[in-house]
Amino acid sequence: MKRSDFLKIVGGGAAMTAILPSTLRAKDAARSNEYIEPVSIATWRFGLETTAEAMKVLRAGGSALDATEAGVKLCEADPKERSVGLGGRPDRDGFVTLDSCCMDHLGNIGSVAAVENVVHVSSLARAVMEKTPHVMLVGEGARQFAQEMGFPLQDLMVPDSKREWEKWREKSDYQPIVNIENHDTIGQLSLDEQGRLAGICTTSGMAFKMRGRVGDSPIIGAGLYVDGAIGAATATGHGEEVIRVVGSYRVVSEMERGFSPQVACERAVQKIYEFFERRQAGIQDTQIGFIALDKRGRTGAYALRPGFQYAVARGGEDPELIDVQALLKS
Ligand code: ASP
């Protein structure tokens, strides 16, 4: 898409900032003096369950990290969720490989990438954070570490994934497939009663990816970032584009500059769009979504194109699924 076409989509020659939803900004401002209660937010529809789970921990006085881990583990263990944990779609060679990272309010970080046979890679990332002097383990080394730590090893390929992979192979189309149906990471952020923030991102990554390909999700700063004094952000979608703009760090740093979580997400998505424009790269198969939670419990989310949803659980209320506004119309 050329810049001129884009400007038509967003309404004539209006400046980039004119497309920011002012209603949301006003709502953010109105919330600024609100009582801070536990909050958990997560990407996509499965976030309804994972934030509800996190809320149980938060309401019992648990930490943001424990709550977030409890939440995402539900999704990792569900073989019907085809983009995370058990049942995640394989790479083009038929290996299910998982990526995850975690970060807490103190800046502790842990990450694992391209891990096979471990369902709860979020817990494995946490183990890297808590039990090693390192921040990232990959591939066979990460699997070996999992074994040493007593994580059960199992086959992550479920029959439905295998069928899909075999069908995909019939065409022998070795182009990376990137669209909004075949890759949905769970990124979850929580704020606990003590005002501590934490986040976890976990995924099987892009379906039928090249063997060895790692996306944004286990990369601290790209798929996830937490600054305990400011806020937290996480990403889903086309990982290469998120890495390019150091997406989640960008969202948090926009919050540090004073923007609300909502506007911070919008600015990060706009930057991704600008990079597409600059490279004159095709944007048609790309979806990106950011969600953010600040220290005061304010939330925000924004996507490149419509279709992204996120769940918000706040205090004693049931989690709510929110349709996220997008930069592009379709
Ligand atoms: N961000 C993930 C990746 O690129 C995939 C996704 O969120 O859908 O691996």
Side-chain angles (χ1 to χ4, degrees), residues 37-57:
E37 56 197 344
V39 182
S40 191
I41 68 175
T43 54
W44 303 108
R45 172 171 286 278
F46 39 55
L48 283 174
E49 283 169 34
T50 69
T51 56
E53 189 68 17
M55 263 305 155
K56 289 184 202 160
V57 178

Side-chain angles (χ1 to χ4, degrees), residues 20-80:
L20 302 182
S22 54
T23 46
L24 279 170
R25 274 183 288 160
K27 205 165 142 199
D28 282 344
R31 279 186 182 162
S32 61
N33 292 323
E34 272 179 7
Y35 165 69
I36 298 173
E37 56 197 344
V39 182
S40 191
I41 68 175
T43 54
W44 303 108
R45 172 171 286 278
F46 39 55
L48 283 174
E49 283 169 34
T50 69
T51 56
E53 189 68 17
M55 263 305 155
K56 289 184 202 160
V57 178
L58 293 171
R59 275 200 236 112
S63 76
L65 186 60
D66 287 344
T68 309
E69 183 183 1
V72 300
K73 281 177 80 171
L74 278 188
C75 196
E76 287 175 336
D78 186 347
K80 292 188 298 306

Side-chain angles (χ1 to χ4, degrees), residues 65 68 72 76 98-104 108-113 121-126 128-129 135-136 185-189 198-203 215-226 233-235 248:
L65 186 60
T68 309
V72 300
E76 287 175 336
L98 305 182
D99 302 331
S100 181
C101 72
C102 62
M103 186 161 186
D104 73 9
N108 292 309
I109 52 176
S111 162
V112 290
V121 278
S122 57
S123 303
L124 188 59
R126 185 171 178 178
V128 171
M129 174 172 109
V135 298
M136 188 168 197
T185 295
I186 181 150
Q188 182 157 347
L189 310 170
I200 296 180
C201 192
T202 174
T203 190
D216 59 315
S217 306
I219 312 286
I220 296 290
L224 174 75
Y225 197 73
V226 177
T234 186
S248 294

Side-chain angles (χ1 to χ4, degrees), residues 3-26:
R3 183 175 178 81
S4 53
D5 294 333
F6 168 68
L7 289 174
K8 272 183 219 143
I9 287 173
V10 300
M16 282 284 197
T17 48
I19 61 166
L20 302 182
S22 54
T23 46
L24 279 170
R25 274 183 288 160

